[in-house]
Tab-separated table of all heavy atoms in Angstrom:
chain	number	residue	atom	x	y	z
A	22	ALA	N	-18.761	3.959	-13.176
A	22	ALA	CA	-19.638	4.010	-14.310
A	22	ALA	C	-20.122	5.356	-14.486
A	22	ALA	O	-20.176	5.959	-15.640
A	22	ALA	CB	-20.806	3.110	-14.134
A	23	ALA	N	-20.472	6.051	-13.439
A	23	ALA	CA	-21.148	7.484	-13.556
A	23	ALA	C	-20.092	8.431	-13.945
A	23	ALA	O	-20.446	9.475	-14.750
A	23	ALA	CB	-21.631	7.959	-12.096
A	24	PHE	N	-18.722	8.317	-13.667
A	24	PHE	CA	-17.750	9.107	-14.120
A	24	PHE	C	-16.968	8.667	-15.281
A	24	PHE	O	-15.749	8.661	-15.207
A	24	PHE	CB	-16.838	9.481	-12.926
A	24	PHE	CG	-17.524	10.346	-11.881
A	24	PHE	CD1	-18.410	9.788	-10.734
A	24	PHE	CD2	-17.406	11.758	-11.996
A	24	PHE	CE1	-18.872	10.636	-9.845
A	24	PHE	CE2	-18.181	12.552	-11.093
A	24	PHE	CZ	-18.805	11.976	-10.014
A	25	ASP	N	-17.618	7.933	-16.214
A	25	ASP	CA	-17.151	7.676	-17.540
A	25	ASP	C	-15.780	6.734	-17.192
A	25	ASP	O	-14.816	6.891	-18.168
A	25	ASP	CB	-16.619	8.927	-18.304
A	25	ASP	CG	-17.889	9.672	-18.717
A	25	ASP	OD1	-18.909	9.060	-18.871
A	25	ASP	OD2	-17.759	10.914	-18.925
A	30	GLU	N	-13.239	9.387	-8.280
A	30	GLU	CA	-14.259	9.594	-7.427
A	30	GLU	C	-14.520	8.263	-6.550
A	30	GLU	O	-14.940	8.408	-5.409
A	30	GLU	CB	-15.553	9.965	-8.148
A	30	GLU	CG	-15.405	11.355	-8.732
A	30	GLU	CD	-14.502	11.653	-9.936
A	30	GLU	OE1	-14.164	10.496	-10.525
A	30	GLU	OE2	-14.333	12.710	-10.335
A	58	HIS	N	-25.543	7.133	-5.876
A	58	HIS	CA	-24.888	7.293	-4.557
A	58	HIS	C	-24.496	8.732	-4.348
A	58	HIS	O	-24.147	9.441	-5.351
A	58	HIS	CB	-23.596	6.479	-4.562
A	58	HIS	CG	-22.819	6.622	-3.372
A	58	HIS	ND1	-21.602	7.366	-3.357
A	58	HIS	CD2	-22.945	6.162	-2.023
A	58	HIS	CE1	-20.989	7.471	-2.208
A	58	HIS	NE2	-21.777	6.761	-1.398
A	78	LEU	N	-20.481	18.156	-0.043
A	78	LEU	CA	-21.259	17.066	-0.938
A	78	LEU	C	-20.345	16.648	-2.022
A	78	LEU	O	-20.107	17.467	-2.883
A	78	LEU	CB	-22.529	17.728	-1.345
A	78	LEU	CG	-23.507	17.006	-2.201
A	78	LEU	CD1	-24.740	17.771	-2.471
A	78	LEU	CD2	-23.030	16.269	-3.378
A	79	ALA	N	-19.928	15.506	-1.963
A	79	ALA	CA	-18.961	14.989	-3.051
A	79	ALA	C	-18.500	13.548	-2.927
A	79	ALA	O	-18.080	13.370	-1.687
A	79	ALA	CB	-17.894	15.865	-3.413
A	80	PRO	N	-18.604	12.684	-3.852
A	80	PRO	CA	-19.172	12.934	-5.094
A	80	PRO	C	-20.656	12.520	-5.116
A	80	PRO	O	-21.097	11.901	-4.167
A	80	PRO	CB	-18.385	12.068	-6.044
A	80	PRO	CG	-18.025	10.843	-5.113
A	80	PRO	CD	-17.805	11.405	-3.862
A	81	VAL	N	-21.422	12.796	-6.131
A	81	VAL	CA	-22.593	12.294	-6.380
A	81	VAL	C	-22.639	11.671	-7.739
A	81	VAL	O	-22.165	12.212	-8.647
A	81	VAL	CB	-23.747	13.306	-6.186
A	81	VAL	CG1	-23.552	14.569	-7.112
A	81	VAL	CG2	-25.213	12.660	-6.503
A	82	GLY	N	-23.233	10.451	-7.858
A	82	GLY	CA	-23.175	9.697	-9.264
A	82	GLY	C	-24.529	8.954	-9.408
A	82	GLY	O	-24.942	8.427	-8.428
A	83	VAL	N	-25.062	8.842	-10.627
A	83	VAL	CA	-26.161	8.067	-10.985
A	83	VAL	C	-25.674	7.119	-12.081
A	83	VAL	O	-24.891	7.642	-13.081
A	83	VAL	CB	-27.389	8.861	-11.299
A	83	VAL	CG1	-28.416	8.009	-11.869
A	83	VAL	CG2	-27.675	9.718	-10.059
A	84	ASP	N	-26.114	5.850	-12.088
A	84	ASP	CA	-25.893	5.023	-13.138
A	84	ASP	C	-26.390	5.635	-14.499
A	84	ASP	O	-27.406	6.098	-14.628
A	84	ASP	CB	-26.793	3.693	-12.897
A	84	ASP	CG	-26.558	2.545	-13.886
A	84	ASP	OD1	-26.348	2.973	-15.102
A	84	ASP	OD2	-26.562	1.456	-13.472
A	85	PRO	N	-25.435	5.772	-15.382
A	85	PRO	CA	-25.659	6.367	-16.680
A	85	PRO	C	-27.005	5.946	-17.361
A	85	PRO	O	-27.723	6.673	-18.037
A	85	PRO	CB	-24.642	6.120	-17.612
A	85	PRO	CG	-23.397	5.821	-16.725
A	85	PRO	CD	-24.022	5.212	-15.436
A	87	PHE	N	-29.753	5.374	-15.815
A	87	PHE	CA	-30.802	5.868	-15.078
A	87	PHE	C	-30.835	7.462	-14.740
A	87	PHE	O	-31.505	7.891	-13.849
A	87	PHE	CB	-31.018	5.039	-13.662
A	87	PHE	CG	-31.347	3.678	-13.963
A	87	PHE	CD1	-30.352	2.846	-13.771
A	87	PHE	CD2	-32.536	3.228	-14.440
A	87	PHE	CE1	-30.419	1.404	-13.886
A	87	PHE	CE2	-32.798	1.831	-14.532
A	87	PHE	CZ	-31.797	0.954	-14.321
A	88	GLN	N	-29.995	8.103	-15.499
A	88	GLN	CA	-29.669	9.584	-15.226
A	88	GLN	C	-31.044	10.308	-15.784
A	88	GLN	O	-31.625	9.771	-16.707
A	88	GLN	CB	-28.478	10.135	-15.944
A	88	GLN	CG	-27.183	9.561	-15.171
A	88	GLN	CD	-25.778	10.084	-15.774
A	88	GLN	OE1	-25.781	10.848	-16.785
A	88	GLN	NE2	-24.802	9.602	-15.191
A	89	ARG	N	-31.095	11.444	-15.134
A	89	ARG	CA	-32.289	12.308	-15.693
A	89	ARG	C	-33.626	11.755	-15.290
A	89	ARG	O	-34.622	11.967	-15.964
A	89	ARG	CB	-32.172	12.710	-17.196
A	89	ARG	CG	-30.952	13.472	-17.393
A	89	ARG	CD	-30.933	14.043	-18.895
A	89	ARG	NE	-29.823	15.064	-18.812
A	89	ARG	CZ	-29.957	16.146	-19.575
A	89	ARG	NH1	-30.952	16.507	-20.238
A	89	ARG	NH2	-28.820	16.892	-19.485
A	90	GLU	N	-33.716	10.899	-14.289
A	90	GLU	CA	-35.002	10.430	-13.829
A	90	GLU	C	-35.259	10.664	-12.443
A	90	GLU	O	-36.116	10.107	-11.718
A	90	GLU	CB	-34.985	8.757	-14.020
A	90	GLU	CG	-34.918	8.266	-15.477
A	90	GLU	CD	-35.193	6.893	-15.537
A	90	GLU	OE1	-36.102	6.303	-14.917
A	90	GLU	OE2	-34.487	6.276	-16.375
A	91	GLY	N	-34.481	11.635	-11.944
A	91	GLY	CA	-34.651	12.201	-10.553
A	91	GLY	C	-33.845	11.569	-9.490
A	91	GLY	O	-33.988	11.821	-8.215
A	92	VAL	N	-33.058	10.508	-9.808
A	92	VAL	CA	-32.299	9.857	-8.767
A	92	VAL	C	-31.219	10.671	-8.069
A	92	VAL	O	-31.231	10.757	-6.799
A	92	VAL	CB	-31.535	8.611	-9.423
A	92	VAL	CG1	-30.739	7.974	-8.259
A	92	VAL	CG2	-32.520	7.676	-9.946
A	93	GLY	N	-30.581	11.578	-8.837
A	93	GLY	CA	-29.623	12.414	-8.253
A	93	GLY	C	-30.287	13.402	-7.324
A	93	GLY	O	-29.876	13.754	-6.211
A	94	SER	N	-31.492	14.017	-7.792
A	94	SER	CA	-32.229	14.878	-7.029
A	94	SER	C	-32.620	14.361	-5.586
A	94	SER	O	-32.565	15.009	-4.544
A	94	SER	CB	-33.399	15.467	-7.679
A	94	SER	OG	-32.895	16.197	-8.903
A	95	VAL	N	-33.200	13.116	-5.767
A	95	VAL	CA	-33.817	12.533	-4.328
A	95	VAL	C	-32.511	12.218	-3.476
A	95	VAL	O	-32.724	12.319	-2.192
A	95	VAL	CB	-34.664	11.424	-4.725
A	95	VAL	CG1	-33.932	10.220	-5.150
A	95	VAL	CG2	-35.569	11.069	-3.391
A	97	ILE	N	-29.571	14.032	-3.277
A	97	ILE	CA	-29.163	15.222	-2.602
A	97	ILE	C	-30.249	15.876	-1.781
A	97	ILE	O	-29.804	16.283	-0.632
A	97	ILE	CB	-28.973	16.248	-3.862
A	97	ILE	CG1	-27.669	15.712	-4.600
A	97	ILE	CG2	-28.656	17.621	-3.274
A	97	ILE	CD1	-27.371	16.438	-5.928
A	112	VAL	N	-20.399	22.447	-2.257
A	112	VAL	CA	-20.414	21.583	-3.313
A	112	VAL	C	-19.558	22.292	-4.526
A	112	VAL	O	-19.586	23.401	-4.560
A	112	VAL	CB	-21.744	21.077	-3.834
A	112	VAL	CG1	-22.448	22.329	-4.455
A	112	VAL	CG2	-21.758	20.065	-4.690
A	113	VAL	N	-18.871	21.397	-5.249
A	113	VAL	CA	-18.322	21.804	-6.531
A	113	VAL	C	-18.959	21.284	-7.694
A	113	VAL	O	-19.140	20.110	-7.705
A	113	VAL	CB	-16.763	21.462	-6.611
A	113	VAL	CG1	-16.102	22.031	-7.788
A	113	VAL	CG2	-16.159	21.912	-5.262
A	114	GLY	N	-19.636	22.137	-8.583
A	114	GLY	CA	-20.335	21.428	-9.710
A	114	GLY	C	-20.919	22.628	-10.501
A	114	GLY	O	-20.649	23.700	-10.448
A	115	ASP	N	-21.871	22.165	-11.401
A	115	ASP	CA	-22.466	23.076	-12.308
A	115	ASP	C	-23.682	23.761	-11.542
A	115	ASP	O	-24.629	23.131	-11.123
A	115	ASP	CB	-23.113	22.216	-13.497
A	115	ASP	CG	-23.539	23.184	-14.612
A	115	ASP	OD1	-23.854	24.322	-14.330
A	115	ASP	OD2	-23.654	22.646	-15.761
A	116	PRO	N	-23.507	25.251	-11.451
A	116	PRO	CA	-24.545	25.894	-10.900
A	116	PRO	C	-26.000	25.589	-11.472
A	116	PRO	O	-27.007	25.680	-10.718
A	116	PRO	CB	-24.134	27.323	-11.016
A	116	PRO	CG	-22.674	27.262	-11.230
A	116	PRO	CD	-22.387	25.999	-11.990
A	117	ALA	N	-25.991	25.311	-12.736
A	117	ALA	CA	-27.304	24.978	-13.298
A	117	ALA	C	-28.027	23.831	-12.689
A	117	ALA	O	-29.229	23.793	-12.631
A	117	ALA	CB	-27.202	24.789	-14.909
A	118	TYR	N	-27.296	22.974	-12.113
A	118	TYR	CA	-27.826	21.815	-11.412
A	118	TYR	C	-28.016	22.155	-9.853
A	118	TYR	O	-29.177	21.916	-9.336
A	118	TYR	CB	-27.020	20.609	-11.522
A	118	TYR	CG	-27.590	19.311	-11.003
A	118	TYR	CD1	-28.837	18.922	-11.446
A	118	TYR	CD2	-26.942	18.630	-10.058
A	118	TYR	CE1	-29.436	17.672	-10.951
A	118	TYR	CE2	-27.495	17.346	-9.422
A	118	TYR	CZ	-28.766	16.921	-10.019
A	118	TYR	OH	-29.389	15.779	-9.414
A	119	TYR	N	-27.028	22.562	-9.262
A	119	TYR	CA	-27.009	22.551	-7.710
A	119	TYR	C	-27.875	23.811	-7.153
A	119	TYR	O	-28.282	23.781	-5.990
A	119	TYR	CB	-25.638	22.642	-7.249
A	119	TYR	CG	-24.922	21.255	-7.416
A	119	TYR	CD1	-24.064	21.101	-8.438
A	119	TYR	CD2	-25.223	20.305	-6.677
A	119	TYR	CE1	-23.462	19.912	-8.706
A	119	TYR	CE2	-24.635	18.840	-6.777
A	119	TYR	CZ	-23.651	18.746	-7.777
A	119	TYR	OH	-23.221	17.611	-8.060
A	121	ARG	N	-30.797	24.560	-7.794
A	121	ARG	CA	-32.196	24.092	-7.534
A	121	ARG	C	-32.350	23.473	-6.131
A	121	ARG	O	-33.410	23.282	-5.685
A	121	ARG	CB	-32.629	22.982	-8.593
A	121	ARG	CG	-31.900	21.730	-8.521
A	121	ARG	CD	-32.274	20.801	-9.654
A	121	ARG	NE	-31.878	21.303	-10.966
A	121	ARG	CZ	-32.039	20.868	-12.112
A	121	ARG	NH1	-32.985	19.823	-12.264
A	121	ARG	NH2	-31.746	21.436	-13.213
A	122	PHE	N	-31.110	23.097	-5.491
A	122	PHE	CA	-31.247	22.619	-4.152
A	122	PHE	C	-30.991	23.710	-3.051
A	122	PHE	O	-30.989	23.427	-1.943
A	122	PHE	CB	-30.284	21.451	-3.965
A	122	PHE	CG	-30.435	20.437	-5.026
A	122	PHE	CD1	-29.389	20.188	-6.007
A	122	PHE	CD2	-31.552	19.484	-4.944
A	122	PHE	CE1	-29.618	19.261	-6.951
A	122	PHE	CE2	-31.622	18.488	-5.948
A	122	PHE	CZ	-30.732	18.382	-6.893
B	201	LIG	C1	-25.120	14.933	-12.111
B	201	LIG	C2	-26.036	13.668	-11.667
B	201	LIG	C3	-25.630	13.031	-10.372
B	201	LIG	C4	-27.365	14.079	-11.813
B	201	LIG	O1	-28.346	12.959	-11.464
B	201	LIG	P1	-29.461	12.688	-12.244
B	201	LIG	O2	-30.245	11.638	-11.525
B	201	LIG	O3	-29.069	12.400	-13.713
B	201	LIG	O4	-30.195	14.080	-12.296
B	201	LIG	P2	-31.913	14.388	-11.913
B	201	LIG	O5	-32.731	13.406	-12.655
B	201	LIG	O6	-32.011	14.496	-10.392
B	201	LIG	O7	-31.928	15.896	-12.561
B	201	LIG	C5	-32.013	15.913	-13.874
B	201	LIG	C6	-31.849	17.363	-14.147
B	201	LIG	O8	-30.536	17.779	-13.838
B	201	LIG	C7	-29.870	18.305	-15.026
B	201	LIG	N1	-28.493	17.912	-14.976
B	201	LIG	C8	-28.027	16.668	-14.739
B	201	LIG	N2	-26.679	16.610	-14.771
B	201	LIG	C9	-26.337	17.891	-14.831
B	201	LIG	C10	-25.089	18.650	-14.966
B	201	LIG	N3	-23.895	18.032	-14.840
B	201	LIG	N4	-25.146	19.950	-15.137
B	201	LIG	C11	-26.286	20.641	-15.181
B	201	LIG	N5	-27.451	20.052	-15.131
B	201	LIG	C12	-27.521	18.670	-14.960
B	201	LIG	C13	-30.529	17.782	-16.222
B	201	LIG	O9	-30.447	18.562	-17.219
B	201	LIG	C14	-32.024	17.678	-15.612
B	201	LIG	O10	-32.575	18.947	-15.719
B	201	LIG	P3	-34.128	19.119	-15.877
B	201	LIG	O11	-34.794	18.767	-14.573
B	201	LIG	O12	-34.224	20.791	-16.007
B	201	LIG	O13	-34.578	18.521	-17.088
B	201	LIG	C15	-25.860	12.564	-12.780
B	201	LIG	O14	-26.050	13.100	-14.025
B	201	LIG	C16	-24.423	11.977	-12.869
B	201	LIG	O15	-24.090	10.922	-12.291
B	201	LIG	N6	-23.541	12.617	-13.700
B	201	LIG	C17	-22.088	12.055	-13.871
B	201	LIG	C18	-21.379	12.218	-12.605
B	201	LIG	C19	-21.346	13.749	-12.223
B	201	LIG	O16	-20.928	14.628	-12.959
B	201	LIG	N7	-21.545	14.042	-10.952
B	201	LIG	C20	-21.626	15.319	-10.476
B	201	LIG	C21	-20.311	15.895	-10.130
B	201	LIG	S1	-19.779	15.425	-8.570
Side-chain angles (χ1 to χ4, degrees):
F24 288 92
D25 291 330
E30 286 78 9
H58 172 259
L78 185 175
V81 54
V83 173
D84 184 324
F87 299 104
Q88 289 180 3
R89 299 190 167 214
E90 293 190 42
V92 178
S94 295
V95 72
I97 293 168
V112 72
V113 183
D115 189 337
Y118 187 57
Y119 291 101
R121 69 187 64 191
F122 307 108

